[in-house]
Amino acid sequence: LDAMSEAVLRSEYAKLVPLPSEAGKERTMKEVLQRLKEVARWQQLPLREVQRECRDCDISTGGVSAKLGDLEQRAELVERLILVKYADRWVEQGLPVKRIGGIKAATRLAVEMQRIEGNSKDEQLVQREFFNLGLPKDANNKTPLLQEMLKQLRNVALWRELPLHELRRECQDQGISVGGLTGDEEEQ
């Protein structure tokens, strides 16, 4: 790696760290090289060691199907490590990348959050979207305030991208019973 040109290193980085450019900050060559080495190391670790790396970084390892082989499970967990450790712009924007199952789901969430933010000045558009989701008026049968509707739209966007085990945890945190609900993690 140390002997590679900058263009080749950046190309390898783009292959190994498949994050959209808006997810992370521009990196120096030293940082790119360090990250390439770190990802290569993760890819060589046994599954149990990758799981430990995830736990050490407080990254959810739930939802990885035991039906997958060790290589596939390791690849999924390495993707989560990449997402959490290298998507610093998304982290700064408040995206809960540690709870999201992968880069594609995080990308969809980031795009949806940007769309919601872009619409936030148009109260009628927000209200229409809010009610199209079937969300209720407040306890006094009044339309909620704009900020409350935006908060709920952001919540729905997040819930749509959470893996099933994280969505269940979210329900439990909100005091919503998930008892009796069935569903396989594979159905997502």
Side-chain angles (χ1 to χ4, degrees):
L1 286 175
D2 292 318
M4 294 176 145
S5 72
E6 180 174 343
V8 172
L9 278 174
R10 289 201 183 273
S11 174
E12 285 301 308
Y13 183 75
K15 288 179 202 170
L16 281 177
V17 183
L19 288 169
S21 59
E22 64 271 8
K25 297 176 181 166
E26 185 66 30
R27 298 289 158 209
T28 66
M29 281 312 301
K30 182 179 177 182
E31 291 170 316
V32 167
L33 186 59
Q34 182 269 327
R35 287 179 173 199
L36 282 171
K37 288 177 181 179
E38 187 170 42
V39 171
R41 183 180 66 80
W42 292 334
Q43 291 174 332
Q44 298 306 311
L45 289 174
L47 177 59
R48 292 220 182 271
E49 288 299 310
V50 176
Q51 290 169 329
R52 186 183 56 73
E53 292 261 345
C54 287
R55 282 191 303 273
D56 290 350
C57 294
D58 195 30
I59 298 169
S60 172
T61 58
V64 177
S65 175
K67 295 176 187 174
L68 297 175
D70 282 4
L71 291 175
E72 292 87 2
Q73 288 182 48
R74 182 176 59 212
E76 192 169 322
L77 293 176
V78 167
E79 181 177 323
R80 291 180 187 187
L81 282 163
I82 289 169
L83 177 61
V84 169
K85 294 191 86 161
Y86 303 155
D88 40 14
R89 281 192 183 148
W90 284 348
V91 171
E92 288 171 2
Q93 293 169 5
L95 263 63
V97 295
K98 289 184 178 185
R99 298 182 62 202
I100 296 176
I103 293 171
K104 288 180 182 175
T107 302
R108 286 190 304 264
L109 179 59
V111 167
E112 182 63 8
M113 293 298 194
Q114 287 175 342
R115 188 192 67 73
I116 291 169
E117 227 25 68
N119 292 343
S120 66
K121 302 288 187 240
D122 186 341
E123 189 165 356
Q124 287 182 336
L125 181 62
V126 170
Q127 192 176 80
R128 186 169 46 251
E129 186 175 349
F130 182 85
F131 290 123
N132 283 343
L133 285 173
L135 297 171
K137 293 186 176 190
D138 70 10
N140 297 321
N141 204 27
K142 292 184 179 177
T143 300
L145 297 174
L146 176 63
Q147 290 307 311
E148 183 59 30
M149 288 188 291
L150 288 168
K151 177 183 172 191
Q152 294 306 322
L153 291 173
R154 289 183 196 107
N155 284 339
V156 169
L158 171 63
W159 298 335
R160 286 180 169 161
E161 298 304 336
L162 288 176
L164 186 56
H165 70 281
E166 287 290 337
L167 185 56
R168 283 187 174 132
R169 190 179 97 190
E170 184 82 10
C171 288
Q172 290 167 344
D173 290 349
Q174 299 293 323
I176 299 168
S177 172
V178 293
L181 294 178
T182 60
D184 190 355
E185 300 270 337
E186 304 298 310
E187 292 175 5
Q188 292 196 45

